[in-house]
Amino acid sequence: MSLLELKNISKIYGELKALDNVSVHVDQGEWVAIMGPSGSGKSTMMNIIGCMDKPSLGEVLLDGVDISKESSRALTNIRRDKIGLIFQQFHMVNYLTAVENIMVSQYYHSMPDEKEALEALERVGLRDRAHHLPSQLSGGEQQRVCVARALINHPELILADEPTGNLDETNENIVLNLFSQLHKEGTTLIVVTHDPEVAEAAQRTIVLEHGRVAREVINEGFIEGRQYV
Amino acid sequence: MTKRKMFLRMITASLLRRRSRMLIALLSIAIGATILSGLVTIYYDVPRQMEAQFRNYGANMILVSADDQPLTGENVEAALSLIPAEKVIGATPYRYVNAQMVRSQLSFVAAGTDFDQVKATSPYFVVEGEYPSGVRQVLLGKEVAETIGAKLNSVIEITYKPTAVLSEAGGELNPGATLAGSAEGFNQNLVYVTLTLGDDLTIASLEVDASLQTPEYGGQCAEEFFTSRFLGKALPLTFGEDVDGVSGATITSEAVVNAINNAQVTENATALTGATLSMQVTGILDTGGKEEGYIFMSQEDMAALTGERDRYDVMELSVSAGAEELASYVDQINAMEAGVTPRLVKRITNSETAVLGKLQALVFLVTAVVLVLTMICVSTTMMAVVTERRREIGLRKALGASDGSIRTEFLGEGMFLGLLGGVLGTALGFAFAQVVSVNVFGSSITFQPLLLPVTILVSMVISALSCLLPIRQAVAIDPALVLKGE
Ligand SMILES: Nc1ncnc2c1ncn2[C@@H]1O[C@H](COP(=O)(O)OP(=O)(O)OP(=O)(O)O)[C@@H](O)[C@H]1O
Ligand SMILES: [Mg+2]
C-alpha cells in the first residue's frame, strides 16, 4: 500500500525548475534512498514531503490526503503527527539539554514525558549524556540525539536529509543500525544521501538529476535487520 | 511532566543559559521599573515630606476675631474642634499690646503667648538663651534688645497703660462724673488723665499720669503746680489760651490738654492704672522678621500686665494638611459662626500647591519618557534575539510548533523578564527613592506595598508590548529556508 505519492510535481523558482515533473511513490514500511548531484532538487523534494514547502505544480498524497492544497496550519499538524525529521546539520536547541531537546518534540506533539525521552536516548546509546548541552556533545552524538528526537513520537515516516554527511564511520554505522531497526519495526524511511554505502542500505534508490528522476534502482543486496560494524 | 512545566522549563532555560543577551533586556526592564517605582514612591511620599518641610516655615492658618472683640478661649476651642487633633501640629495664641519700657520710655509691642506652642508653629525662631519657662520672664526681640541695650539675664521693667479704657467709656457729663482719657505725648508715649466734674461741669479735680514721659521735663506735668491750672475750667480746653504749658515740656503739656479733651465718662477709673512688671530676659529672638521688634512673655505675665485674661488677638495654627483640606476647614469654621474668622497663610499654602503640581507633571513626564525608552530598548534587544534564534525558531516550527506556540513562548519569555525586572526594579526603586528622600528631605520613606504588584504589572505589560514586533518577525520565519543547508 502506498504511503506517499508524488504526482507530476514541479517546484519553480523564477526561471529555475528545482523539481521538474517528478512522480514518485513510496510504500508503507519501505526504505528509500534519494541520491543525486548537488542542486538536483533533493532537499526541495524533502521539504515538500515534509510539509514545509508546497509544490508549484502537481499533487502530493500522504496517507491518501493531498497535502499540496492544505493550509500551513494543517501542514504543521500533519508534520507534527506523522513525520520525523532529521537534518544534515545537527539542529538542536542550543540552550536545552539532550533530553530536553527530545521533550520539545513531545511538547509540540502531545505531552512531554521525560522517562520516554530518556528511553529514546538509551536506544541511540546516549543515556549517560542526557543532561549535556549540545555544545558538550560531539557531532555524531548530536546527530544521534536528533535521530532519537525524530522517532520519539512514533512517526509513520522518517525523513532524513544527509543524516550521515558530517559523521565518521563509527557514527554512520550507529545511525544506519538505528534505521535498520526502525525499518524492521515498520517505519517508512526516506533518506537523502551522497554516500553510496548509505544508499545501499535502503531497499530502493531514486536518483535525481536537474530536478528530474533520472533512474530508480532496486537494491538487490538489501538485507533486513542488517548490522553495520 | 505537564505541558506547562515544560513551557516554564524551556523559558527559564532560555533565560538562564543564554544569559548575556537576556541580561541586557532584563537590565533595561529593571532600570525602567526602578525609575517607575522610585519616582512613584517619591511622588506619593513627597506631599507628606513637603508638608513637614512647609510646617517648618510657620503657621499656615490663623484665626482672628470676626468682630471688634478680642478672641476668647471659648470661641477658639470651638473652631479648633473642627480640625482633627492629630493634624494640629501647633496652635499658638497671641495677645498684642503696646507696652513701655520704664527706664528708656520707649514703647514696643508686647506679645503674650504659649511658648510650647510657639516652638511648634514657629520652628524657625532662633533663640539665643532660652524660651521663658516661668513667670516674670521675657523673650526679647533682637531689635528691642539692641535698642534698649538689654542682654541675657538683664532685668527690664515694663509698664502697660490701657488705651482701651475709652471703649468702656460713654455716659452723661453730669456733676460729679469721672472722666478718663489719654493722648500721645513725647516720643508717642501716652499721657493719662483722670478728672472729676464739679456742679457747674467745670474741672473739679485732675490727676495726670506722665510716668512714660521724660521725668525731669514732661514728668513735671503730673505735679500740682501744673494740674491746679486746670481747676475750674470748662471743657473743651484750648492749649495756650485756657492753660499755658510747662516750659521745657510743651509736648507733654499739650498732651495733657488733648487727653482732657479726649476724656470720656468712665465708671472704672482704676482701669487706667496698668501694672509695671520687672522681668528677666531669658532669651533673645532672631527671626529676620517683624518679631524682632516684639517682647514675648507668657500668658500669665500678660494677664498680670493688662489685668485681662483669656483674650487673644490672633491664634496661629500649623495644620498638617494640603491646600484643599485647609480650605475645607476654613469653610467649616466660617459656617460655625463662632465669632472667629479663619484665614489661610496664602504665601505658604500657595507655594505648597504650586510645587506639588510642578512635581506631579515632572514625574509623569519622566516616567513616560523612561517607559518609552525601556520599550524601545527591550524591543530592539528582542529583535536581535529573534534574529539570533532564527534557526531555533525554524527548528521548533519543523518539529511541529504552531504560530501560536511560537508567540506564546516569546511572550512568555518577555513576561518572565518583565516579572524579574519588576521585582528587581521595585527593590532598586525603593532604594533609589530612599536615597533621594534622605538626601533631599533628610527623612526616610515608608514602603508602599501596593507598589510591588503595580510595578510588576507595568513591567510585564511593557515587556509584552515590546515583544509584539519581534514576535511578528519570529512567526514569519520559514522553517524550510532556515533548515536548508546554509
Ligand atoms: N528558495 C529558493 N529560491 C531559489 N532557488 C532555490 C531555492 N531553494 C533551492 N533553490 C535552487 O533549487 C535547486 C535545488 O536545490 P536543493 O537544495 O533541492 O538541491 P540539493 O539537491 O538538496 O543539493 P545539495 O546536495 O547541495 O543539498 C538549486 O539550484 C537551488 O539553488
Ligand atoms: Mg540538500
Side-chain angles (χ1 to χ4, degrees), chain A residues 79 91 95 100 107-108, chain B residues 17 389 391-392 397 409:
Chain A
R79 180 165 69 242
H91 285 303
Y95 55 84
E100 283 168 346
Y107 171 77
Y108 292 126
Chain B
R17 295 187 190 141
R389 292 167 71 179
R391 254 162 201 275
E392 181 206 324
K397 287 186 153 186
E409 279 158 35

Side-chain angles (χ1 to χ4, degrees), chain A residues 40-100:
Chain A
S40 57
K42 306 182 296 291
S43 292
T44 304
M45 192 162 110
M46 291 299 262
N47 281 338
I48 289 171
I49 300 170
C51 299
M52 297 198 285
D53 208 349
K54 288 182 188 179
S56 309
L57 298 167
E59 277 184 6
V60 183
L61 297 177
L62 183 64
D63 255 349
V65 178
D66 184 2
I67 60 173
S68 61
K69 305 285 185 294
E70 294 289 343
S71 69
S72 69
R73 176 189 289 252
L75 288 180
T76 301
N77 289 342
I78 294 167
R79 180 165 69 242
R80 195 180 59 201
D81 295 340
K82 298 196 170 164
I83 299 168
L85 291 165
I86 300 166
F87 315 97
Q88 181 169 4
Q89 278 80 13
F90 333 106
H91 285 303
M92 291 175 74
V93 179
N94 58 13
Y95 55 84
L96 295 179
T97 60
V99 68
E100 283 168 346

Side-chain angles (χ1 to χ4, degrees), chain B residues 101-329:
Chain B
M101 293 293 166
V102 170
R103 199 169 308 155
S104 64
Q105 302 294 307
L106 294 171
S107 107
F108 297 100
V109 174
T113 187
D114 177 344
F115 289 107
D116 286 336
Q117 296 297 316
V118 167
K119 288 172 202 164
T121 52
S122 303
Y124 56 91
F125 277 12
V126 178
V127 173
E128 184 198 341
E130 278 167 21
Y131 279 101
S133 54
V135 290
R136 304 296 182 263
Q137 294 185 333
V138 288
L139 174 67
L140 278 193
K142 198 170 124 200
E143 209 180 296
V144 178
E146 278 167 8
T147 312
I148 65 171
K151 302 244 157 33
L152 278 183
N153 297 322
S154 307
V155 173
I156 58 170
E157 278 191 297
I158 299 175
T159 187
Y160 168 77
K161 302 283 181 171
T163 50
V165 65
L166 296 179
S167 68
E168 295 173 20
E172 300 277 311
L173 287 180
N174 292 323
T178 302
L179 284 78
S182 62
E184 278 185 4
F186 190 69
N187 244 353
Q188 271 125 51
N189 288 333
L190 292 176
V191 171
Y192 302 91
V193 297
T194 314
L195 55 132
T196 55
L197 298 181
D199 291 340
D200 54 356
L201 297 181
T202 58
I203 298 172
S205 72
L206 173 66
E207 259 180 65
V208 173
D209 181 348
S211 57
L212 300 178
Q213 307 294 303
T214 324
E216 41 295 12
Y217 302 103
Q220 299 176 62
C221 293
E223 290 171 22
E224 209 198 322
F225 81 88
F226 181 63
T227 58
S228 60
R229 296 179 192 175
F230 292 85
L231 300 180
K233 300 268 161 71
L235 300 177
L237 304 170
T238 311
F239 182 64
E241 274 175 34
D242 295 313
V243 214
D244 289 326
V246 176
S247 64
T250 321
I251 294 174
T252 308
S253 304
E254 192 175 357
V256 172
V257 172
N258 291 338
I260 291 169
N261 289 336
N262 288 341
Q264 309 246 338
V265 177
T266 175
E267 252 86 85
N268 183 15
T270 54
L272 278 173
T273 50
T276 299
L277 302 178
S278 277
M279 304 180 95
Q280 190 193 10
V281 177
T282 62
I284 290 172
L285 178 64
D286 185 349
T287 66
K290 63 181 187 337
E291 297 89 349
E292 289 187 0
Y294 294 179
I295 302 168
F296 292 90
M297 64 186 70
S298 67
Q299 291 174 288
E300 292 73 43
D301 286 342
M302 180 56 77
L305 194 64
T306 60
E308 294 170 338
R309 300 199 155 268
D310 198 29
R311 294 282 173 96
Y312 318 112
D313 293 302
V314 174
M315 189 83 185
E316 284 192 5
L317 301 180
S318 179
V319 184
S320 169
E324 278 173 37
E325 201 180 340
L326 283 175
S328 88
Y329 295 141

Side-chain angles (χ1 to χ4, degrees), chain A residues 13 16 18 37-44 88 162 194, chain B residues 481 484:
Chain A
Y13 294 116
L16 182 95
S38 188
S40 57
K42 306 182 296 291
S43 292
T44 304
Q88 181 169 4
E162 301 272 14
H194 275 115
Chain B
L481 284 182
K484 197 180 281 177

